[in-house]
Amino acid sequence: MATFKEFRNNVKPNWCPGCGDFSVQAAIQRAAANVGLEPEQLAVISGIGCSGRISGYINAYGLHGIHGRALPIAQGVKLANRDLTVVASGGDGDGFAIGMGHTVHAIRRNINMTYIVMDNQIYGLTKGQTSPRSSEGFKTKSTPEGAIETTLSPLEIALSAGATFVAQSFSSDLKQLTSLIEQGIQHEGFSLINVFSPCVTFNKVNTYDWFKENIVNLETVPDYDPSNRVMAMTKLMETNSMITGLIYQNKTKKSYENLVSGFREEPLVSQNLSLTESEFDKLVAEFR
Amino acid sequence: MINQLSWKIGGQQGEGVESTDRIFSTALNRLGYYLYGYRHFSSRIKGGHTNNKIRISTTPIRAISDDLDILVAFDQESIDFNAHELREGGVVVADAKFNPTIPEGTKATLFAVPITAIAEELGTSLMKNMVASGASWALLGLPLEVFNKAVEEEFGRKGPAIVEKNIEAVRRGAEYVLELAGGPLEEFKLEPADGKQKLFMIGNDAIALGALAAGCRIMSAYPITPASEIMEYLIKKLPKFGGTVVQTEDEIAAITMAIGSNYAGVRTMTASAGPGLSLMMEAIGLAGMTETPVVIVDTQRGGPSTGLPTKQEQSDIHALIYGTHGEIPKIVLSPSSIEECFYDTVQAFNLAEKYQVPVILATDLQLSLGKQSCEELDYNKIVIDRGNIATEIPDREDGSLFKRYELTESGVSSRALPGTKNGIHHVTGVEHDETGRPSESPVNRIHMMDKRLGKMDKIEVENPIHIQGSHEEPDLLIIGMGSTGGTIDQARVHLEAEGIKTSHMTVRLLHPFPVQEVLPHLQKAKNVVVLENNATGQLASLIKLNVGLHEKINSVLKYDGNPFLPSEVYSESKKVLSDGPSAQKLSEELV
Ligand SMILES: Cc1ncc(C[n+]2csc(CCOP(=O)(O)OP(=O)(O)O)c2C)c(N)n1
Ligand code: SF4
């Protein structure tokens, strides 16, 4: 069985020292080892942004695609080979701005895969513009007088869209983050994990200290029940989504692959492609 | 006796025009006639004039006719709209319900048949289609038993009572019209056909069937006219072969999902029309850059923007060839018949994997939706070539990555599918080295650009052009693509009959342009006409760009939404021969 070291490659990330994304990389590597994967059984599909580089920093199959489209690419990979563990990842701009349409529909589709968002409330790679996750009033390069658009609450949206697994974590809490990624991978269906992953270069407001002060770990909330969707929604609204831990999980809904008609246990990629002559003749005869 | 005839049914959309056409043509097909259909419709579901025209022949035909022999009309609008097409001596069969009249000067005979009344008498006005097609059938003097067989096939699963009722509707329609006409019309008596039932399908059916035969097991797509039938067919069939169709949230998701599953090793395609293709452009660049095979069908329709969504056009050519930023290798195929829609789809999947490039299969609305008789499809011609996929990869002691983008003579490198041991590598749309790792090194950049683009010089496609009527030195060479082929052929025969040596070239490979094949034909021809359904002469400019000989090339353009008629091709060609070079915009003359 592979250890987390086998999920490391010798590439030095080009993230700024202190960037929250380092912990996300480490957590994926640990979680992959903890659930018993071999490197070739994992495919990491990422978007474009500082965070999107993550697929190049893990020793696994990796695809770094185009801005906002990690999710449809990842869903295609999983449908082709359901034996693979598929993780999609990217930034809050990638997933909640340009790619928001795909995020909602990937949630609805509920293909068995995990989506990890590195949420730094800003655009890192393009050097500091506002993101849909920026707080109102937040001053950035593109909002010099402060952001005036409403901050998006992707986890509330996820619950409304029928998400079967919703979690949130924080880069500083490697233990919790690793455990949530493991649970996400093991969940049957689409798992969304939003990670507060501070941008130390362009976001001087939502810093490590700021998060430490403002977030509540759900483990400390008595009687919190992650199988209760209404409770999950209420908690997100009450706390302005400043909570970490497993927020909601529906263990009864089947994943897309297990609902789609005719889909087999054997991955499509290993199936025989040829039609027999009699199969072909039958298909052709329908046009006579 | 005649050997061909044109029939048209017109009415309001949703009123049974489609089903009348279907049942009438199914019965004709049983007798072995060759059929070529054309649908005039708009993007409304109910209401609005719609008509379907069929050309019936004892020999293969691939074009609509200039005129019309029989018009069946469910309303006055259908008569007013289509009467000008009727030839002298033609016939109108109209529903007596609306007291039909034919426009002054129309030299046709009107038979008012109580179509709705008979149907209602038998229980439901829905049976109008049966009364109307029965009447048409009887006028042609064709055997009623054959028609009844077709009715049994259509309604058999609904039980014998329903079949009986419909057969009765057919009989009543036939009886009524024969009484009016005094028996079957002698001048509409068709020579008997060969009795062999032909395949009868639309281009989209052939593409979908081709995809299935090629081993395509996932389709991700977003509905659009005139592409949707491809996904609708595969939605029915793929589950039987373990595969699936995903109706995505948009075309960007459709193409990127297809890229994802092709990367993971399953043949996957998407299909759309102009608006969807525009949305896919960035992702097509990703496929080119990451050398990921993918097959994309573009069923061209009237553009720009929403344009004429239910009308014929061939105006995406430049967008398909040039429409992504930067420079990538890519193949654009243009099938020109139903049979080619099938075989080219199989070929598209093979080319995509052999050269590891995106392949676009460009049809046009008339080819995608016009229902036609089709030659038998040959199982033995279906070959699946998956290209270079590494299965057993030896262990590398040094822990280095698999060289997915290894520089090779052919420019094609071995693919390791995710899941393969020792095959781990990186894939990115960022410029990368042989292992897929990002690299900005100028030397690497040149190597990788040359690797990818160099594939374009090596691409081999079966029959990149077709030539019909080969002359050593033709007076005229007519060049077309897609659905215009049959129309050009017909005009060619007329021109030949007048002693004008005419050749016809169909361009089937739009990109990389088959210069070596095309050039000699242009050199030999005295005059060249490039005929296309767009306003700017995109095929003509492609030929000029690649082949030169600008002074010889004349454009004949039609962009009013309708396919060329054989008579138009004939007269425009004659004009070019008499007036010399100039761009002929047919659509302007029609206004
Ligand atoms: C279609 C397209 N538009 C714009 C860009 C430029 N761009 C690259 S990353 C990015 C946003 C990055 O922000 P985020 O997704 O939050 O990731 P981060 O860099 O913060 O990790 C933008 C706008 C692009 N690459 N592609
Ligand atoms: S700019 Fe911000 S998000 Fe990007 S690497 Fe630096 S710290 Fe991380």
Side-chain angles (χ1 to χ4, degrees), chain B residues 410-572:
Chain B
S410 64
V412 178
S413 346
S414 190
R415 289 164 74 200
L417 305 179
T420 312
K421 203 159 166 54
N422 301 321
I424 288 179
H425 60 274
H426 194 49
V427 175
T428 172
V430 174
E431 188 56 274
H432 43 265
D433 64 17
E434 289 183 287
T435 65
R437 285 263 168 74
S439 164
E440 290 182 348
S441 136
V443 174
N444 176 75
R445 165 70 173 177
I446 293 167
H447 282 159
M448 284 296 160
M449 286 295 278
D450 292 350
K451 168 194 197 303
R452 289 186 296 266
L453 296 171
K455 293 193 273 192
M456 292 302 280
D457 301 332
K458 305 189 178 78
I459 284 166
E460 279 174 31
V461 170
E462 281 169 39
N463 307 321
I465 62 166
H466 275 329
I467 296 287
Q468 234 118 14
S470 192
H471 294 281
E472 212 24 71
E473 273 188 5
D475 302 314
L476 178 65
L477 170 66
I478 310 179
I479 306 180
M481 66 185 156
S483 67
T484 60
T487 317
I488 298 176
D489 270 344
Q490 203 177 320
R492 188 180 65 81
V493 173
H494 278 208
L495 292 162
E496 289 273 344
E498 291 178 13
I500 302 168
K501 283 188 262 166
T502 311
S503 296
H504 167 203
M505 179 194 293
T506 305
V507 181
R508 292 176 16 80
L509 175 63
L510 297 173
H511 189 70
F513 196 80
V515 181
Q516 296 316 320
E517 286 83 358
V518 171
L519 179 64
H521 293 283
L522 263 86
Q523 283 168 332
K524 285 189 295 184
K526 292 204 194 91
N527 294 281
V528 178
V529 163
V530 182
L531 190 112
E532 48 194 315
N533 283 127
N534 59 53
T536 55
Q538 298 189 26
L539 179 60
S541 29
L542 199 60
I543 296 171
K544 288 178 187 166
L545 176 73
N546 287 283
V547 178
L549 301 171
H550 295 221
E551 64 294 344
K552 261 192 201 178
I553 296 173
N554 302 277
S555 273
V556 172
L557 309 170
K558 184 173 181 181
Y559 48 95
D560 67 351
N562 297 304
F564 282 101
L565 295 173
S567 60
E568 292 168 342
V569 179
Y570 168 82
S571 58
E572 292 306 304

Side-chain angles (χ1 to χ4, degrees), chain B residues 272-338:
Chain B
S272 188
L277 262 289
S278 292
L279 286 182
M280 292 182 194
M281 287 302 170
E282 187 195 12
I284 292 173
L286 176 71
M289 183 60 155
T290 58
E291 305 189 46
T292 309
V294 63
V295 174
I296 304 144
V297 180
D298 177 27
T299 58
Q300 298 177 82
R301 66 183 210 184
S305 187
T306 306
L308 291 172
T310 62
K311 302 284 179 235
Q312 165 70 2
E313 206 161 276
Q314 302 173 317
S315 55
D316 296 350
I317 303 164
H318 283 176
L320 297 180
I321 295 174
Y322 307 114
T324 193
H325 60 281
E327 297 153 310
I328 58 160
K330 176 203 282 178
I331 298 173
V332 183
L333 298 175
S334 163
S336 66
S337 66
I338 300 282

Side-chain angles (χ1 to χ4, degrees), chain B residues 195-268:
Chain B
K196 279 193 214 116
Q197 224 167 312
K198 315 277 179 299
L199 297 181
F200 186 43
M201 53 168 78
I202 60 172
N204 283 350
D205 292 330
I207 290 170
L209 183 62
L212 201 55
C216 170
R217 290 296 175 267
I218 300 179
M219 178 182 192
S220 43
Y222 190 80
I224 190 167
T225 303
S228 298
E229 293 77 10
I230 302 172
M231 82 186 270
E232 284 159 13
Y233 179 83
L234 290 174
I235 284 169
K236 279 186 254 152
K237 298 298 175 200
L238 273 178
K240 301 196 171 80
F241 299 93
T244 191
V245 174
V246 183
Q247 181 180 322
T248 52
E249 53 274 21
D250 57 30
E251 288 85 350
I252 300 178
I255 177 75
T256 47
M257 197 176 281
I259 290 171
S261 52
N262 274 298
Y263 156 71
V266 171
R267 289 190 157 188
T268 305

